[in-house]
Amino acid sequence: MPEGRQVTARVAGLGVVLPERVLTNADFERMVDTSDAWIVARTGIRERHVVGTEESLATLAVTAGGRALADAGVEPEAVDLLILATATPEQPIPATAAIIQPQLGVRNAVCFDLSAACSGFLYALNVARQFIAAGEAATAMVIGAETLSRYTDYTDRATCILFGDGAVAVVLQRAPAGEGILETAWHTDGSYSDFISMPGGGSKYPPNVKRHIDERLPFIKMRGNETFKVAVRALTDVSQEVLEKAGMGVEAVDLFVPHQANKRIIDAVAERIGLPPEKVFVNLERVGNTSAASIPLALADARNAGLLRRGDLVLAAAFGGGLTWAAMLIRW
Ligand code: ACO
């Protein structure tokens, strides 16, 4: 067993928040040249939750974090580390994790954000696991949260129908090897960085230049069809890689929890890795693609539906902007 694998981390509590406001496919039929039939057939999505004017990334993350602490029965002062995975932070400076620290009461935690788009939650879980395994933290909180609607171009029919908002927090605690997070595989290939991007809003095309707004640069752009093909291959490969690293066969998996971007991607990956539909969890119909919140939202929904029981082996796999991709095996 490699150094640092004697101790791992397990999920001790989960907290979820979805904004109340819902955008249905019928709403998009009124906004752009699309149809409910096209969206359902090409993506599987029917509804997504989006933040209202009084909400922001921080308000969602604080609510989710508080619920996770209550679910775990952990006092906020016991949290040593807070990682917030997001592509849509509250503001560039400071990190949203720092902004929410006082409201969550996690005053002893070192707090930072992690940017890996839709793979952000699995990246952050793996970073937190290593802090715990190294003895740097006993209790950690990881939050996957997004307000993608704030950066969605609602005139672009190819992207606007995909995204939703939400936040999910987990509390992680030390666990003996064999429980909790068993194995991770993670990758980045920046040569595809223009496949999913938001070119404006950063230091190259700052948001304080009107021309950048007029050219619609601070909006999410995606080369959808090319992304689709890379996503199927990368998710398949990384799922097989993590099983191989753990010395397990696909038949050991009780539940596959993939990133909820597109039902056709999920079906293609499940078929390639040899998982029957009853072992594949899908909730994108009701929430769309919530990026860093997607995997934990699916875990929470699966748990609430009674599909995730203690001791089950979960295979989670994510793919997103970067390009980034990752898979994780969790003994729930
Ligand atoms: N309604 C109707 N027609 C549409 C719509 C729409 N909402 N969107 C696109 N079309 C049209 C296109 O204009 C095109 O028309 P044309 O043939 O006349 O040019 C046609 O549909 C086919 O377009 P494609 O882009 O080839 O459609 P595709 O089947 O690939 O579906 C989609 C598009 C849903 C975006 C798909 O490519 C996809 O899901 N890609 C991967 C997304 C993903 O996994 N992203 C990673 C995570 S995102 C992140 O990290 C934030």
Side-chain angles (χ1 to χ4, degrees), residues 22-25 28 39 45-49 161 163-164 287:
V22 170
L23 283 179
T24 66
N25 289 352
F28 285 98
I39 300 170
I45 301 166
R46 292 178 192 274
E47 295 178 355
R48 6 26 221 134
H49 293 253
I161 50 129
F163 302 118
V287 294

Side-chain angles (χ1 to χ4, degrees), residues 292-304:
S294 170
I295 296 256
L297 194 51
L299 287 170
D301 282 355
R303 187 182 76 164
N304 292 342

Side-chain angles (χ1 to χ4, degrees), residues 34 38 42 118 157-158 196 222 224-225 261-262 264-265 289 320-321:
T34 191
W38 192 96
R42 304 308 288 171
C118 308
R157 68 176 182 173
I196 307 159
M222 184 162 67
N225 198 265
N262 187 312
R264 290 186 296 135
I265 294 178
N289 179 350

Side-chain angles (χ1 to χ4, degrees), residues 2 5 126 180-185 241-242 245-246 327-330:
R5 295 291 162 91
N126 199 30
I181 298 170
L182 303 184
E183 197 55 83
T184 310
E241 179 188 347
V242 78
K245 274 177 95 174
M328 186 175 275
L329 283 168
I330 306 169

Side-chain angles (χ1 to χ4, degrees), residues 25-36 38-39 154-161:
N25 289 352
D27 293 323
F28 285 98
E29 285 178 342
R30 288 186 284 273
M31 288 156 66
V32 287
D33 178 17
T34 191
S35 67
D36 174 57
W38 192 96
I39 300 170
Y154 286 102
T155 65
D156 175 11
R157 68 176 182 173
T159 56
C160 69
I161 50 129

